[in-house]
């Protein structure tokens, strides 16, 4: 109980473990004695962090590995980020892309083709926007600090600091909305400015939903190619027959 209180007081997190359910065994007794406990700041810098139980033969304890690597399972599906709607003239930009996509054919073919073209436009725009946004946020913070010093020295006006802070807060709001959507948290009201919380929830969802192993042909497989093939085959049988 004292150790549990220590873990709670220090806000330590017990990460999901793959490869085995127990880390110690002797005779008929089994228990999970070995584990990594990490602080939230680790998860802020390493979004994908897992414990993995390794094979053991002689010792009663199996070694565990703290793995920050995330294997690529292929391209991620496209999702519309509702924070994009906070960007200036976004609706006009979307309308222009939709009109500029010239497609002929039946209505269903036209709509499907236009949506695919719009998706590709959004992917390119989002990638460029993210790169520019990171640089812009760093510049804004640096500039705000410089102007604050100048204001104290009587060499600049407070209005200039206010306009920069307004732009910076707008960028933070867009980031908050984006992480709220990824976290799937629906019950917190708008404007809570708690991006770190949403960031943690989204990371927890990714760790919980990750498939480390799957039963393939009556045996557990950790091979990502076999797992991907089995999942694809399952849904093909389910939807195509």
């Amino acid at each position: 109980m004292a150790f549990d209180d220590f873990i709670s007081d220090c806000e330590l997190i017990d990460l999901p473990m793959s490869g085995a359910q127990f880390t110690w065994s002797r005779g008929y007794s089994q228990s999970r004695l070995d584990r990594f406990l990490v602080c939230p700041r680790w998860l802020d810098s390493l979004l994908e962090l897992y414990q993995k139980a390794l094979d053991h033969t002689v010792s009663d304890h199996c070694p565990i590995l703290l793995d920050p690597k995330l294997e690529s399972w292929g391209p991620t599906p496209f999702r519309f980020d509702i924070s994009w709607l906070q960007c200036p003239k976004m609706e006009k930009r979307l309308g222009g892309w939709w009109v500029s996509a010239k497609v002929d054919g039946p209505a269903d073919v036209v709509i499907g083709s236009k949506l695919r073209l719009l998706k590709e436009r959004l992917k390119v725009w989002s990638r460029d926007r993210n790169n520019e946004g990171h640089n812009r946020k760093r510049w804004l913070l640096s500039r705000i600090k410089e102007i604050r010093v100048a204001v104290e020295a009587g060499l600049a006006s407070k209005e200039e600091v206010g306009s920069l802070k307004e732009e910076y807060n707008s960028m933070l709001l867009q980031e908050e909305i984006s992480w709220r959507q990824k976290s799937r948290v629906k019950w917190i009201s708008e404007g809570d400015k708690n991006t770190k919380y949403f960031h943690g929830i989204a990371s927890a969802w990714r760790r919980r939903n990750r498939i480390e192993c799957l039963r393939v042909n009556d045996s557990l497989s950790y091979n990502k190619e076999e797992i991907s093939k089995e999942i694809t085959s399952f849904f093909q049988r389910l939807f195509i027959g």
Side-chain angles (χ1 to χ4, degrees), residues 182-185 200-210:
K182 293 175 183 177
S183 71
R184 303 183 187 179
V185 176
I201 294 294
S203 300
W205 268 102
R206 281 196 292 269
R207 288 192 296 272
R208 183 182 304 173
N209 293 336
R210 183 180 180 183

Side-chain angles (χ1 to χ4, degrees), residues 153-182:
L155 301 176
S157 64
K158 294 183 179 180
E159 287 75 14
E160 189 173 356
V161 179
S163 62
L164 293 176
K165 288 179 65 177
E166 184 178 351
E167 180 182 354
Y168 184 73
N169 288 334
S170 176
M171 296 182 72
L172 290 182
L173 176 61
Q174 295 176 31
E175 183 179 346
E176 176 194 351
I177 293 173
S178 176
W179 279 108
R180 185 187 297 117
Q181 179 182 359
K182 293 175 183 177

Side-chain angles (χ1 to χ4, degrees), residues 102-223:
K102 304 299 182 181
V103 181
D104 297 325
D108 57 339
V109 174
V110 171
I111 292 176
S113 300
K114 282 198 170 192
L115 286 174
R116 284 190 291 271
L117 293 172
L118 187 62
K119 179 181 70 174
E120 296 304 320
R121 288 283 191 93
L122 280 169
K123 284 183 177 179
V124 175
W125 173 84
S126 174
R127 183 172 60 248
D128 295 340
R129 171 179 172 269
N130 288 338
N131 294 333
E132 295 175 0
H134 292 313
N135 296 331
R136 182 66 177 174
K137 280 178 64 178
R138 285 195 295 267
W139 180 86
L140 283 172
L141 281 176
S142 175
R143 184 59 180 161
I144 288 172
K145 292 179 181 179
E146 292 176 358
I147 296 180
R148 280 178 174 171
V149 174
V151 169
E152 292 176 358
L155 301 176
S157 64
K158 294 183 179 180
E159 287 75 14
E160 189 173 356
V161 179
S163 62
L164 293 176
K165 288 179 65 177
E166 184 178 351
E167 180 182 354
Y168 184 73
N169 288 334
S170 176
M171 296 182 72
L172 290 182
L173 176 61
Q174 295 176 31
E175 183 179 346
E176 176 194 351
I177 293 173
S178 176
W179 279 108
R180 185 187 297 117
Q181 179 182 359
K182 293 175 183 177
S183 71
R184 303 183 187 179
V185 176
K186 303 298 184 182
W187 47 267
I188 295 183
S189 60
E190 293 283 341
D192 271 349
K193 299 286 190 299
N194 202 349
T195 307
K196 184 176 181 180
Y197 169 76
F198 297 121
H199 194 284
I201 294 294
S203 300
W205 268 102
R206 281 196 292 269
R207 288 192 296 272
R208 183 182 304 173
N209 293 336
R210 183 180 180 183
I211 299 176
E212 286 284 348
C213 63
L214 192 70
R215 186 172 297 279
V216 180
N217 297 327
D218 296 328
S219 62
L220 287 179
S221 174
Y222 292 87
N223 184 282

Side-chain angles (χ1 to χ4, degrees), residues 9-24:
D9 293 340
C10 295
E11 298 182 353
L12 299 178
I13 299 171
D14 185 9
L15 297 170
M17 188 178 72
S18 64
Q21 186 176 358
F22 305 103
T23 62
W24 174 87

Side-chain angles (χ1 to χ4, degrees), residues 84-97 125:
W84 296 343
L85 298 177
Q86 299 292 323
C87 298
K89 301 180 180 179
M90 188 60 192
E91 293 184 8
K92 184 177 180 180
R93 183 182 292 111
L94 290 172
W97 289 341
W125 173 84

